[in-house]
Amino acid sequence: MMELVFSLAVGVLTSSGVWLLLRPRTFQVIIGLSLLSYAVNLFIFGMGRLRIGAAPILKSPDAAVPALYADPLPQALVLTAIVISFAMTSLFLVVLLASRGLTGTDHVDGREDPQ
Amino acid sequence: MMGLAEHLIIIPILLPLISGAVMLLLDERRRALKGGIGIATTVVLLIVSIILLGMADASPADTPASFLRVYWLGNWPPPFGIVLVLDRLSALMLTLTSVLGIASLVYSLARWHRAGPRFHTLFQLQLMGLNGAFLTGDLFNLFVFFEVMLAASYGLLLHGAGTLRVRAGLAYIAINLTASLLFLIGASLAYGVTGTLNMADLARRIPALASGDAALLATAAAILGTAFLMKAGIWPLNFWLPTTYAAASAPAAAMFAIMSKLGVYVILRIWTLMFSTDAGLLAGFGGDWLLLAGMLTILFGTVGVLASQSIPRLAGCSVLVSSGTLIGALGTGSAAVIGPALFYLVSSTLAIAAFFLLVELVERMRDPGADVLAVTMEAYGDDDDFIEEEVGVAIPATIALLGGSFIACALLLAGLPPLSGFIAKFGMMAAMLKSDETIRASTWVLIALLTLSGLATLIAMTRTGITSFWARIDDSVPRVGIIEMAPVLALLLLCLCLSVGGGPAMHYMQATTQALWSPQSYVTGVLPAHEAGAPGEERSP
């Protein structure tokens, strides 16, 4: 059940993200990229296998049974990925605003469609 | 525990980081000081990378493969800790980066570093990202260095501002963010299947994978490959590239020339490591796709080169031809082709960087509408009514230098003798034709495309050369500073050295290839001896 909910969440986030990414307005693109990065972060987390009630920190090394613990590495990876994609999104936001200011439109091509 | 020489490996990452951070603290108006720090850093980087090149090449001649220098970050042993790995390929790429770094930085001191804030810091961070990506032996660490490099490149692309750059930057950032997300998906999927991110450990675990897991890993590799091919500018993921590179300021564009080679480097590294002949189920995975993608990219680049109406765009399209040639050569899957292909990588990167620097100087003597006019004139067969009677006019030295460099760039990019571009292309074709088995049809197509792209480059360069150097309507001589001309000449001189010293250089490339084609020695070199023998203990899924 948990797996189903999880994979549906990743799938919905990804498909909405891809759809928004292909839209012509810069704001839609940035929201699309954010949704995609949420999906990717969840995906990375899922790659450490889904567990309930398992800590990623070993309490005492001699009593360690790996099966009792969650994989800590993907959690560390997710942390890095979140920070990086957050920074990149904010950078993109700046460029988006600069483009809006310079071209006077929020179309990704910097000009409106001819029709 | 380690000698000082061992710590040299991490210098190419630490030094630009420190220098970039220090320059961030300095006031923006102290340009001379910043320029000085920047130059000093790149000079030290060049010296260090040449020493590293010597270290990597110092292995005994009979066992060229089994020689790696591994640096344990924080002294954590692999596969749990992150390692930096120095072999011939990474040393070569490091040296190439430093050479380009010094050339573009010197060039930028004439004008460009004043065009916007934080240029020097961004430049150093870009060097750091590139060096780190070339050195790291860990998949996720590679991602981090990719992001460092990309973040700096976004800044460098926008350096100098202007509508054109912002518009190109928007597409560039969106594309690269998407590529980064693909990279993350691929890397984490590979981790999910194998339980490791260390490249050597990955290579060790792949042969033991069950068929279901192998399919998942193939998916991971395909997703990762897409991200890298995007970076390398492979068709159909490359429509952003000519626009972006043409919009960037000259020194930034020269650095971007090595950035697209980073994509090629990663593919070369991971593909030879993960899908070598002893990879069991996955041996040679994706080779045909690489070949096909490479060929289509050459074709696309060739058409682009012919259709370009401005010189910066022409330079951007020759990046595509160069990437396509490299990926195509890799796709043939034969070790004999890769040696000359690496030679081509070095030669074409130097040539393209020199060309990007030169383009800006040449552009100064053209008026904006001239390019479109020139191509239109050619298309409609408008013959020259105004033949100027100027016999025996002295050619100004600047024009002579610019023209001479332009010819050299044309020869290098088209692959004509006597410069190194010819040796590289000739070497690749000779290796393709020399194989013992019957030559496949795809190889013939690749050879034809290589020749065709050379011809097209020559035509386009000749046309551009004629319209910019011979058919000038006004007689203004562009103002070109010595420190702008010197980097171009230095890069071209290096290409000349490469053709004069073609023998030793090619020998080095072949040793590099031999090492790449025996991934087992990479694995045993990176992982501690007692670990390397036991691929058994799999993570419980």
Side-chain angles (χ1 to χ4, degrees):
Chain A
M1 190 59 202
M2 180 174 59
E3 284 80 2
L4 187 67
V5 172
F6 183 86
S7 43
L8 276 177
V10 172
V12 168
L13 279 173
T14 310
S15 41
S16 330
V18 170
W19 189 74
L20 281 174
L21 189 64
L22 300 173
R23 301 296 300 160
R25 302 286 153 198
T26 45
F27 186 71
Q28 293 168 320
V29 172
I30 201 167
I31 296 297
L33 281 169
S34 309
L35 289 186
L36 268 178
S37 73
Y38 297 154
V40 169
N41 290 338
L42 280 178
F43 181 80
I44 300 174
F45 191 75
M47 278 299 117
R49 308 296 184 267
L50 299 173
R51 303 281 302 276
I52 293 178
I57 300 170
L58 300 183
K59 283 186 196 114
S60 62
D62 49 354
V65 181
L68 293 178
Y69 297 95
D71 190 347
L73 194 76
Q75 307 195 8
L77 301 187
V78 163
L79 202 60
T80 317
I82 289 174
V83 173
I84 290 179
S85 50
F86 173 71
M88 294 301 154
T89 310
S90 52
L91 181 89
F92 191 68
L93 197 61
V94 173
V95 179
L96 181 157
L97 289 175
S99 166
R100 174 74 179 81
L102 284 169
T103 62
T105 163
D106 63 346
H107 196 279
V108 282
D109 292 336
R111 56 171 180 266
E112 292 295 326
D113 285 333
Q115 70 265 17
Chain B
M1 185 178 139
M2 285 177 172
L4 204 61
E6 292 294 317
H7 286 294
L8 214 56
I9 298 179
I10 202 174
I11 294 293
I13 299 172
L14 279 188
L15 190 64
L17 176 65
I18 294 170
S19 130
V22 166
M23 282 195 279
L24 206 54
L25 301 176
L26 292 176
D27 190 280
E28 199 56 43
R29 276 163 296 184
R30 303 178 71 176
R31 291 206 187 88
L33 179 62
K34 285 192 170 193
I37 297 177
I39 292 287
T41 313
T42 42
V43 168
V44 174
L45 274 183
L46 183 64
I47 295 169
V48 168
S49 51
I50 288 175
I51 296 174
L52 290 178
L53 191 73
M55 271 161 64
D57 198 30
S59 62
D62 49 333
T63 55
S66 61
F67 196 79
L68 295 171
R69 276 174 193 271
V70 183
Y71 186 87
W72 296 2
L73 286 175
N75 218 7
W76 292 97
F80 306 110
I82 292 170
V83 287
L84 301 181
V85 182
L86 179 83
D87 65 351
R88 282 194 175 88
L89 184 59
S90 27
L92 177 71
M93 299 305 286
L94 280 184
T95 315
L96 194 56
T97 312
S98 319
V99 168
L100 289 193
I102 231 172
S104 353
L105 195 61
V106 169
Y107 184 95
S108 74
L109 290 183
R111 224 158 66 96
W112 275 110
H113 76 134
R114 279 174 301 203
R118 317 264 180 274
F119 173 80
H120 286 289
T121 301
L122 287 171
F123 195 89
Q124 296 300 333
L125 288 181
Q126 165 131 52
L127 284 178
M128 174 207 166
L130 282 166
N131 287 342
F134 289 135
L135 278 173
T136 187
D138 183 276
L139 211 50
F140 198 79
N141 196 230
L142 181 67
F143 167 74
V144 174
F145 279 121
F146 247 75
E147 288 305 312
V148 171
M149 179 203 74
L150 285 175
S153 80
Y154 301 150
L156 281 179
L157 171 64
L158 296 170
H159 180 73
T163 314
L164 207 62
R165 295 209 175 95
V166 170
R167 205 188 288 164
L170 204 64
Y172 176 70
I173 297 177
I175 282 276
N176 276 298
L177 284 181
T178 318
S180 303
L181 294 175
L182 286 178
F183 191 158
L184 278 176
I185 295 176
S188 55
L189 193 54
Y191 176 78
V193 176
T194 59
T196 181
L197 284 167
N198 184 295
M199 293 186 202
D201 201 22
L202 260 174
R204 194 185 58 170
R205 285 169 191 236
I206 282 174
L209 286 180
S211 67
D213 286 348
L216 271 180
L217 191 86
T219 316
I223 294 173
L224 274 177
T226 312
F228 301 136
L229 290 177
M230 234 177 211
K231 196 85 228 84
I234 294 304
W235 191 88
L237 308 167
N238 60 5
F239 299 107
W240 56 275
L241 196 144
T243 318
T244 308
Y245 282 32
S249 58
M255 284 313 287
F256 286 5
I258 184 106
M259 230 164 60
S260 56
K261 297 297 180 291
L262 174 59
V264 177
Y265 161 84
V266 176
I267 299 242
L268 185 59
R269 166 75 76 208
I270 291 189
W271 192 69
T272 51
L273 200 55
M274 281 169 54
F275 304 123
S276 61
T277 43
D278 39 339
L281 289 168
L282 290 172
F285 170 74
D288 293 336
W289 284 104
L290 286 180
L291 183 60
L292 185 68
M295 292 199 291
L296 287 172
T297 310
I298 301 178
L299 200 62
F300 180 79
T302 306
V303 173
V305 162
L306 280 178
S308 294
Q309 298 207 333
S310 72
I311 323 184
R313 218 181 152 77
L314 172 64
C317 289
S318 33
V319 174
L320 298 183
V321 174
S322 163
S323 287
T325 307
L326 285 166
I327 293 294
L330 181 58
T332 58
S334 116
V337 182
I338 300 299
L342 286 173
F343 193 89
Y344 177 82
L345 186 151
V346 176
S347 151
S348 73
T349 309
L350 290 174
I352 288 172
F355 192 41
F356 268 119
L357 295 181
L358 184 67
V359 163
E360 210 235 324
L361 305 179
V362 175
E363 285 278 287
R364 280 184 205 168
M365 59 187 201
R366 297 158 68 91
D367 49 299
D371 303 305
V372 183
L373 189 67
V375 174
T376 327
M377 256 163 54
E378 206 161 90
Y380 291 98
D382 192 356
D383 39 2
D384 291 354
D385 295 330
F386 45 88
I387 300 163
E388 291 176 42
E389 292 292 324
E390 283 189 58
V391 183
V393 173
I395 304 171
T398 317
I399 301 281
L401 269 180
L402 287 178
S405 313
F406 192 85
I407 294 175
C409 282
L411 290 179
L412 279 166
L413 290 176
L416 288 182
L419 291 177
S420 51
F422 172 71
I423 302 178
K425 273 200 177 175
F426 184 79
M428 276 192 280
M429 290 188 198
M432 282 176 207
L433 292 174
K434 214 166 59 184
S435 73
D436 295 330
E437 320 134 45
T438 45
I439 301 162
R440 290 190 299 169
S442 57
T443 312
W444 283 115
V445 177
L446 185 61
I447 290 174
L449 279 172
L450 282 182
T451 322
L452 200 68
S453 69
L455 181 67
T457 309
L458 191 64
I459 292 172
M461 292 289 274
T462 313
R463 185 179 66 197
T464 315
I466 288 174
T467 53
S468 27
F469 290 101
W470 287 357
R472 285 189 305 119
I473 294 144
D474 55 334
D475 268 323
S476 67
V477 175
R479 297 167 59 81
V480 174
I482 295 174
I483 57 168
E484 289 179 306
M485 206 56 224
V488 179
L489 293 178
L491 288 178
L492 293 174
L493 196 68
L494 269 178
C495 289
L496 188 67
C497 295
L498 206 58
S499 35
V500 172
M506 198 63 101
H507 188 259
Y508 181 89
M509 310 297 177
Q510 253 135 20
T512 310
T513 318
Q514 264 180 317
L516 284 176
W517 249 253
S518 53
Q520 205 50 49
S521 60
Y522 183 94
V523 173
T524 46
V526 171
L527 298 174
H530 64 277
E531 272 274 327
E537 81 281 80
E538 286 290 320
R539 227 168 55 102
S540 62

